[in-house]
Amino acid sequence: MADEATLVFPQSLILAGAGKMGSALLESWLSLGLPGANIGVIDPHPSPALSALAVQHGLTLAPHPLIAQVLLLAIKPQMLDKAAPALQHYVDGRTLIISILAGKTIATLRHHFPHAGAIVRAMPNLPASIGLGITGAVAGPELTQEQQAFATTLLGAAGSVEWLDDEALIDAVTAISGSGPAYVFYFVECLSQAGVALGLPQDISERLARATVEGAGGLLMHETGIRPAQLRENVTSPGGTTAAALEVLMAQNGLAPLMEQAAQAARKRAAELAG
Ligand SMILES: NC(=O)c1ccc[n+]([C@@H]2O[C@H](COP(=O)([O-])OP(=O)(O)OC[C@H]3O[C@@H](n4cnc5c(N)ncnc54)[C@H](OP(=O)(O)O)[C@@H]3O)[C@@H](O)[C@H]2O)c1
């Protein structure tokens, strides 16, 4: 979560698209203290929850055209062509555009918003909805220091941000942290199935697997100074049960090459979907 001392809020922010990810970001900004009066939200069908937030925090829904300091795009990627013309009214050379649209490159965004000041392309992930997201971000060349601070504050509100120098690496971010939560959910399924194969009742095995991943995740968050490999070694006694299992997982054809193959498949698909 962003450090309060480094928070830099824009005076005028337009959020385009208040679906799952847009709403998660919006709620994180409000809980961080970004004044609702600074925020306009554009969404064709505001949910009851969004309407309630608007009343509670003084957000403007469907704001009249104004030049925003930041326009954050959280619509579906395939909606960009249709949405961009109406959004031009909020953009001029002072506006930072932050896009979380999967696969939409900075060049494509620039094509849609030729008059924008700067563009940041970001890839958040699902745990943003509980404030534990991580976002990879890359900036076009025009980004000012103040705009980078806006982007770090807004994207970091729902977790943390990693800035990258090379846009090509965004597809790798998608393959690791973007798609990663699903890999972990699948790991829980596999661990639970393994328990059933050893004779545990299905429901108990699933609770054991789930709580183990939650607890191990909690330890990773708590022990941030200790590398994962060290945490693993700390719980692996030579000749013990964990070591026996890790010998299988860490074999030459074990989890590492499989994980690499999976991440490469995700990156390839991200590149295919880009445009
Ligand atoms: N969900 C994730 O975990 C995740 C992770 C990384 C990146 N992303 C990116 O985040 C973006 C949003 O994903 P999402 O899962 O939040 O999708 P979503 O729930 O479908 O939200 C999109 C929202 O945009 C609204 N919208 C449609 N046309 C619009 C327009 N012209 N102007 C303004 N708003 C418009 C939609 O309204 P209607 O439903 O009424 O059409 C909907 O409320 C996507 O580009 C995705 O690539 C999502």
Side-chain angles (χ1 to χ4, degrees):
M1 187 70 68
D3 173 358
E4 275 190 29
T6 60
L7 297 179
V8 185
F9 294 136
Q11 294 295 317
S12 53
L13 163 65
I14 300 289
L15 170 67
K20 289 181 282 299
M21 194 50 83
S23 297
L25 287 170
L26 177 62
E27 283 175 30
S28 68
W29 301 333
L30 293 169
S31 47
L32 214 55
L34 176 59
N38 296 14
I39 308 174
V41 181
I42 302 172
D43 193 284
H45 306 106
S47 66
L50 175 60
S51 302
L53 269 188
V55 172
Q56 192 187 343
H57 292 275
L59 311 172
T60 310
L61 297 185
H64 291 299
L66 62 105
I67 296 305
Q69 262 182 318
V70 179
L71 168 64
L72 194 140
L73 300 174
I75 55 177
K76 286 281 190 203
Q78 59 271 26
M79 295 306 296
L80 181 61
D81 289 353
K82 207 168 151 203
L87 296 174
Q88 302 295 343
H89 303 300
Y90 301 92
V91 174
D92 77 1
R94 292 161 288 178
T95 307
L96 164 66
I97 295 190
I98 303 175
S99 164
I100 62 165
L101 277 52
K104 294 294 174 194
T105 63
I106 292 178
T108 301
L109 294 160
R110 174 57 72 195
H111 168 77
H112 283 288
F113 297 99
H115 307 300
I119 296 176
V120 164
R121 178 180 170 197
M123 175 48 60
N125 69 355
L126 187 62
S129 58
I130 55 163
L132 294 174
I134 185 154
T135 297
V138 65
E142 308 83 357
L143 194 75
T144 65
Q145 261 189 354
E146 184 186 48
Q147 288 174 328
Q148 179 158 17
F150 287 157
T152 302
T153 297
L154 295 173
L155 296 169
S160 54
V161 185
E162 296 290 340
W163 285 96
L164 301 157
D165 292 333
D166 180 0
E167 187 179 2
L169 291 175
I170 282 280
D171 289 341
V173 171
T174 304
I176 301 303
S177 53
S179 303
Y183 313 159
V184 177
F185 300 147
Y186 184 57
F187 178 80
V188 173
E189 287 178 63
C190 291
L191 190 57
S192 165
Q193 277 166 24
V196 172
L198 294 179
L200 287 167
Q202 162 83 47
D203 55 339
I204 294 181
S205 192
E206 190 167 317
R207 285 198 294 275
L208 290 173
R210 188 181 180 124
T212 299
V213 169
E214 281 172 8
L219 280 175
L220 279 169
M221 282 176 66
H222 192 252
E223 308 284 3
T224 47
I226 308 179
R227 303 195 67 191
Q230 185 64 50
L231 286 170
R232 169 176 53 75
E233 281 167 21
N234 292 350
V235 295
T236 311
S237 330
T241 57
T242 309
L246 284 173
E247 210 171 297
V248 177
L249 286 174
M250 296 173 80
Q252 218 179 355
N253 61 348
L255 188 57
L258 195 61
M259 200 67 254
E260 197 175 316
Q261 235 180 299
Q264 273 171 1
R267 185 181 63 176
K268 180 165 172 278
R269 189 71 186 125
E272 286 164 1
L273 293 173

